Amino acid sequence: MATRIDRRFEDLKREGRAGLVTFMMAGDPDYATSLAVISALPKAGADVIEIGMPFTDPMADGPAIQAAGLRALKAGQTLKKTLQLVREFRTVDADTPIVLMGYYNPIYIYGVDKFLVDALEAGVDGLIVVDLPPEEDSELCLPALKAGLNFIRLATPTTDDKRLPAVLANTSGFVYYVSITGITGSATPNATRVSDAVARIKRHTTLPVAVGFGVKTAQNARDIAGGADAVVVGSALIDRLCNSLDANGNATADTVKAVTMLVSELADGVRSVRRAAAE
């Protein structure tokens, strides 16, 4: 059965444009502000929302997302509250796909079976768990797929043609291509190399390919959208949120607007590519 993610990418294909995937950390800088920001993202132009599950040892994340996770944990965010965040989001938006992104330890502690039941009930559509390789699919990936959740896998510039089939074997929804080697937000991707990499992945799969890591501006997003099915932006949005906080790290009256303004700019950049090509 098609999921919200499948349906959204089919819609994007019909519209002839790439999508914008936005990442925010659950509970950053506090639960209420996080819910307000995430609830405002679709209207600002987000096609898919990734929500980070705060974790104390985020090995793939750069300083901005690490700091966001620590702010959220300090404010009392838990995995249970993250699922509640999704549940409350679903009271105002039944259509925008939600992907939870994070690490396996909190899910393991919560309990895999209970997590999958609660995630589906809350309205989660997919999972990205960056520290579970294909060799560990029986831990979470296969149970998630059986339950009806998409399991999105990351491919990187070092994932060669020999490794790709294993990475893609149980991937669903879309493939997340990490455009740079390194942590999130650490460099700006080269659009030509990204386009070549996406073409190589597409020789192995019919799934959409979303590209993230290092996209910071509307021009970056526009460049990447020319060769990808979707553009993922996280660190730049977290930076914008962080810069809106007061000296004590609390949200201000500008916090939601600061994030949504950048999302609108990024969405315009992404959407301009295919429109221009069709004219």
Side-chain angles (χ1 to χ4, degrees):
M1 185 174 71
T3 66
R4 285 190 188 91
I5 296 172
D6 299 328
R7 293 195 294 272
R8 180 53 50 94
F9 275 99
E10 284 297 319
D11 289 344
L12 292 171
K13 189 175 181 180
R14 278 194 293 272
E15 293 173 24
R17 67 174 179 87
L20 177 63
V21 182
T22 58
F23 173 94
M24 297 302 298
M25 184 64 72
D28 177 31
D30 60 76
Y31 184 93
T33 304
S34 180
L35 178 60
V37 169
I38 289 169
S39 298
L41 293 177
K43 187 176 180 181
D47 297 296
V48 178
I49 298 173
E50 287 181 10
I51 298 178
M53 297 178 281
F55 184 51
T56 53
D57 189 21
M59 62 183 184
D61 296 321
I65 294 179
Q66 286 188 28
L70 292 177
R71 283 194 298 269
L73 290 169
K74 185 179 178 182
Q77 190 68 18
T78 62
L79 185 49
K80 185 177 181 180
K81 287 184 177 180
T82 298
L83 294 174
Q84 180 60 27
L85 190 74
V86 177
R87 199 173 288 114
E88 290 200 60
F89 172 84
R90 283 283 172 241
T91 66
V92 297
D93 189 313
D95 299 320
T96 305
I98 294 287
V99 177
L100 293 185
M101 183 173 186
Y103 299 84
Y104 183 49
N105 186 274
I107 297 171
Y108 176 79
I109 298 299
Y110 191 96
V112 168
D113 292 342
K114 178 174 172 51
F115 171 76
L116 293 176
V117 169
D118 291 353
L120 278 167
E121 180 273 330
V124 174
D125 303 294
L127 303 174
I128 300 175
V129 182
V130 298
D131 55 349
L132 275 181
E135 288 75 13
E136 305 297 334
D137 274 357
S138 60
E139 286 279 341
L140 179 63
C141 174
L142 295 180
L145 292 174
K146 185 177 179 181
L149 288 166
N150 288 127
F151 200 88
I152 295 117
R153 190 87 68 191
L154 275 64
T156 74
T158 60
T159 308
D160 59 22
D161 286 338
K162 184 177 179 181
R163 178 65 173 167
L164 261 178
V167 170
L168 298 173
N170 290 315
T171 297
S172 67
F174 63 92
V175 181
Y176 188 143
Y177 178 67
V178 176
S179 61
I180 57 172
T181 53
I183 55 177
T184 57
S186 59
T188 300
N190 179 289
T192 300
R193 284 201 289 270
V194 166
S195 183
D196 291 344
V198 170
R200 182 171 66 86
I201 293 170
K202 282 182 170 291
R203 289 196 288 272
H204 293 264
T205 181
T206 57
L207 289 170
V209 180
V211 176
F213 280 43
V215 179
K216 300 174 182 175
T217 67
Q219 184 60 52
N220 293 155
R222 187 182 192 282
D223 292 343
I224 298 301
D229 297 301
V231 180
V232 187
V233 185
S235 293
L237 298 177
I238 299 292
D239 282 339
R240 190 62 68 93
L241 179 144
C242 182
N243 291 336
S244 76
L245 304 180
D246 67 19
N248 295 316
N250 297 317
T252 66
D254 294 329
T255 297
V256 175
K257 186 178 180 181
V259 176
T260 55
M261 282 182 66
L262 179 54
V263 172
S264 294
E265 294 169 14
L266 294 164
D268 286 343
V270 167
R271 294 172 191 227
S272 69
V273 177
R274 304 290 171 86
R275 279 203 307 268
E279 288 172 355

